[in-house]
Amino acid sequence: MLKKITGFILLIVIASSAFSQNKDEIIGKWVSSSGGAHILIYKKGEKYCGRIIWLKNPNDEQGKPKIDLKNPDPELRIKPAVGLEVLKNFIYVGEGIWEKGTIYDPKSGRTYSCKMTMNGTNNLDIRGYMGITMLGRTENWTRATL
């Protein structure tokens, strides 16, 4: 009887650790579909966020570091593009899906609702949309290999 209880407890521990690893599988460095940016996805409390950590072309035409020129808040237009948080407040809902977050597009200055779905261990589908997921666009990011 003791062996069965011990085995059951061990099974629960293994299953719960597998669950926690699964929801954190998204954490790491990702390459945008264009290859022009690397985004670091990290955990902030129980939510997931992401910031730009590298740009293929980090400087503007004058050779100065790019800034968040299109931000709707004039006070934020001086923030550097590298370091900009573009993914915010995602919650893991299960089966490789993170929802209820937003994605900010620094090229347009717009923020969209967003859903992220793992597609294998090295592919991430990012779906930005307005209102309903059918009104949006999906990009595929790949895990950075460094």
Side-chain angles (χ1 to χ4, degrees):
M1 180 70 169
L2 184 59
K3 285 183 180 181
K4 287 183 180 180
I5 292 173
T6 305
F8 182 70
I9 291 172
L10 183 61
L11 181 64
I12 289 173
V13 169
I14 291 170
S16 66
S17 69
F19 173 75
S20 65
Q21 289 173 347
N22 188 20
K23 69 180 180 179
D24 290 345
E25 184 178 14
I26 198 169
I27 293 173
K29 295 176 187 175
W30 295 89
V31 180
S32 66
S33 59
S34 68
H38 290 189
I39 297 89
L40 176 65
I41 297 180
Y42 52 93
K43 200 168 183 180
K44 192 189 252 185
E46 287 301 311
K47 296 186 178 181
Y48 297 84
C49 300
R51 71 178 59 252
I52 298 171
I53 59 168
W54 178 87
L55 289 172
K56 185 175 185 177
N57 299 308
N59 298 326
D60 62 17
E61 297 79 29
Q62 289 78 35
K64 296 180 182 176
K66 288 183 180 175
I67 57 175
D68 191 14
L69 271 177
K70 302 280 183 163
N71 196 302
D73 182 345
E75 292 182 15
L76 297 178
R77 292 181 188 157
I78 60 168
K79 287 184 112 180
V82 173
L84 197 61
E85 192 171 61
V86 292
L87 299 171
K88 292 184 181 181
N89 300 322
F90 286 84
I91 298 169
Y92 183 70
V93 296
E95 298 183 27
I97 300 170
W98 292 259
E99 292 182 339
K100 300 183 184 359
T102 60
I103 186 166
Y104 173 69
D105 176 11
K107 290 180 181 175
S108 68
R110 292 186 170 168
T111 299
Y112 301 94
S113 297
C114 189
K115 173 182 177 180
M116 301 188 291
T117 306
M118 287 291 294
N119 193 358
T121 56
N122 295 319
N123 291 293
L124 182 64
D125 291 330
I126 306 285
R127 177 99 180 143
Y129 59 93
M130 295 174 60
I132 58 174
T133 57
M134 289 178 55
L135 300 176
R137 182 182 73 168
T138 300
E139 287 190 2
N140 181 267
W141 293 1
T142 55
R143 194 175 295 276
T145 53
L146 297 175

